[in-house]
Amino acid sequence: MPLTLNAPISALAGVGSAMATKLAKIGIKTIGQATAYYPFRYDDFSRQAVIAEARLGEVANFVGTVDIIDTRRSPRRKMYLTEAILNDGTGQLRLVWFNQPFLTRNIHEGDRLSVAGKVGQDLLGLVMASPQYEKVSQADESRHTSGLVPIYRTISGVTPKQLRTVIDQALRLAEPVDWLPARIINSRGLLPLADALTDIHRPQDLINIEEARQRLAFDELLLLQLRGQLTRQDWSNRQAAAIEFKEDLTKQVLADWPFQLTDDQRRCAWQILQDIQKEQPMLRLLQGDVGSGKTAVAMLALLNVAAQSYQAALLAPSEVLASQHFQSLVKAIGQRCSIGLLTRTQQYFSQAGQIAGKVTKKQLVDHLATGDCQIVVGTQALLQESVSFNNLALLVVDEQQRFGVEQRQLLLNKKLFHQSDNELVPHFLAMTATPIPRSLALTLYGDLNLSVIKKMPSGRKPVITKAVSNDQRDKMYQFIRQLLDTGQQAFVVCPLIDESDKLAVKAVTVEFERLTAGELAGYQVGLLHGRMSGANKQMVMNDFATGRLQVLVATAVIELGVDIPGATVMVIESAERFGLAQLHQYRGRVGRRGQQAYCFLLSDQDDPLSKRRLEAVVKYNDGQQLAKLDLAWRGPGELYGREQTGFADLHLATIFDQDLIISAKGAAVEILANELWRKNVLTSPAWQTASESLLPQ
Ligand code: ADP
Ligand code: MG
């Protein structure tokens, strides 16, 4: 019996409960989800090399016989070292593995082994460290180590080899039923789903990869379109509360703010306030580069809703961001309304501009249920079962593309949008900094109305950006210390290496210790990473925001929306690892009060490609341009994943797949107009698992 894509992952041989738990942590619970765990690039081992010709630095695949294998404990570093000698008849190559003592039970002298990895060198000569390996019999194909080898994002506690085996099994045993009408597939020249899945994981060549990507990316975009179109159909039949524009109140509040709205902000605010005056629920996207002042615009809508005794909610993708929004809301409009903060670890409540210390979750939930809390800011913790509103009239979602299927599923379950038929639905405002060209945004988001903030608040100076090599590090820190001495603040960002964040935590902790003992000894330096508790994160952020900390060493957690008024320096370690648009986002974190700010891109890679990428960030100050270059410059066998696009739902599709987007949009219209297709598609597992939710796109 073939398995369906919906079968639990534990149905595969070799996936025990321990493995199932680890896979579940990153969202792989079914066989279908395993097949949707796409590689992000491929290593090309298609050239099987001979050991005699091995060259330092080359990535290669060798097949030979194991002459010797032995594990010992390295006395100084207390770790296991497994060494082997591989002989392919032309020469011998040393292999080394660390902390895998079980290898000697697995591999024996005389075994034939296929290994793949990078040829390095140490005191004893050429060596391959931690190679991927596979035992081969003469007839066996060597799947993990020859040809185009897929590279997956690592999963904590699961070796790449185990992961490949799981996916192989999933591909072999499952029978993916194509959820699309044959006519849609054929008219667009797309691959059948089963072929696309096989090819994306086990391609024969680079052309396979692109064809597979096209099909799977089409599916992602189609799901997005279907969801969008259905939501709109549904919403056009519903009613929201009409929110009157309180002009005097709004003017008074604006007069208290330390700045004047820009023309763009004014226009966007006006569009939103117009929308919510209608009983037709608003569906609007507010787009503006990092720091363009979207939050300020949203606040005016929140304020007007509260002024009419309705409730409003602001949903943020991280605790740090939620709590920052809470604080700025309290400062900006807290005199006029009650505001709550609800995240997994924190609940605060503010009335008349006073934050009443920490409240319990129950207290806050009660305030929401009775309507005593008029505006609530929160993370997805807001979507828990226990939270309900008295009369929610506006939902604002910040960085909305970050919210994936799972969170939207929660929203759906909450029935925020699907209260009983005669109940009101809230107006909906999404905010995003993702730089999508307007014409494309309209295609992607369909009838969702679009407000764009084009110009930055005046007085903001372009950030001076420099690519810095390792030997210029001292000079850079000397410069930074001078700025710190005048009261300015700096971020040091270390890259996120591992999905589970474990390695990143280690890297950032090491860098923190190195800096506090070295270049930044005597300065107030804080550490922030994803594994810290919400309360601890908050404490560190507060200390940084209030200036008690001068430097913040952090992993990628600071990427989104954080606003630190005094920060003027952004140091990015191993900058070559980041997407260009992402680097631009980081850069947008500094100099937010019109100070001259600096961004230093550190990298010890001196290959021309890394250099060219960093130079682009130095040269261009435009997120859209940079995102385009990133895509244009990706290497063969490199997929352009969601890290770069920032869309939680788009793994293989990008916002630059213009033709695919248009094609998917047309397909969505066709499918919804055809009764049979509509029924089949909307009952397919693909639709069910990927997009039951009707939160607007
Ligand atoms: P975004 O969410 O678009 O990245 P924010 O709304 O966080 O940007 O605004 C960035 C910073 O700029 C905030 O500190 C905000 O107070 C400030 N700001 C917003 N609008 C203006 C303006 N018109 N003039 C000056 N500063 C502004
Ligand atoms: Mg923001």
Side-chain angles (χ1 to χ4, degrees), residues 590-601:
V590 290
R592 312 242 313 191
R593 294 298 179 279
Q595 317 97 308
Q596 180 58 61
Y598 303 86
C599 175
F600 299 114
L601 307 171

Side-chain angles (χ1 to χ4, degrees), residues 601-620:
L601 307 171
L602 284 157
S603 174
D604 51 11
Q605 297 301 99
D606 52 7
D607 61 291
L609 291 183
S610 300
K611 275 194 162 149
R612 178 173 71 171
R613 292 181 71 248
L614 296 188
E615 274 157 20
V617 184
V618 172
K619 186 163 161 205
Y620 298 107

Side-chain angles (χ1 to χ4, degrees), residues 214-232:
Q214 292 260 342
R215 164 62 210 259
L216 299 169
F218 179 84
D219 283 14
E220 291 173 1
L221 293 164
L222 178 59
L223 286 168
L224 212 69
Q225 290 287 345
L226 284 171
R227 195 161 55 211
Q229 293 184 20
L230 284 173
T231 312
R232 269 165 246 133

